Amino acid sequence: NMQSEEKWILDTDCGMMILAVFIALKHLDLVAITTVSGNTSAHNAAINVSIIQSTKGKKIPIFTGSEHPILNKPNHIGEIHGHDGFGGM
């Protein structure tokens, strides 16, 4: 487990990008995780991150960002990503 000397903030919609979050939790010195609306709502993304980090025994602060994109309407594709962004897992 090679920890980076740099401090990181991970910004994610944490839907099906679960693998990226697992990798970041293992290899980066994360000081915070922020969630945004994307494949799911920012609220669901925060729940998903909380679930993932609890399986890794981590306690990194999670901050929920905007539920709405700046320029477009939210486009959560439930048929692909499920209602929770995890495909209903």
Side-chain angles (χ1 to χ4, degrees):
N1 185 12
M2 261 179 45
Q3 284 284 340
S4 169
E5 292 181 20
E6 298 174 333
K7 305 288 185 197
W8 291 82
I9 296 174
L10 177 66
D11 184 52
T12 181
D13 69 0
C14 196
M16 300 305 282
M17 296 290 293
I18 186 172
L19 183 58
V21 175
F22 269 117
I23 292 168
L25 285 170
K26 183 173 181 174
H27 295 288
L28 299 177
D29 187 4
L30 292 175
V31 295
I33 301 173
T34 61
T35 62
V36 294
S37 176
N39 293 336
T40 190
S41 69
H43 175 77
N44 281 349
I47 292 169
N48 295 346
V49 168
S50 179
I51 291 167
I52 293 167
Q53 78 168 336
S54 71
T55 68
K56 305 297 279 177
K58 301 282 186 170
K59 295 278 187 194
I60 299 162
I62 301 168
F63 300 94
T64 304
S66 177
E67 290 291 354
H68 304 284
I70 293 171
L71 299 176
N72 299 311
K73 294 179 182 177
N75 188 19
H76 308 144
I77 307 171
E79 308 83 52
I80 297 172
H81 303 291
H83 71 282
D84 59 359
F86 272 167
M89 293 194 283

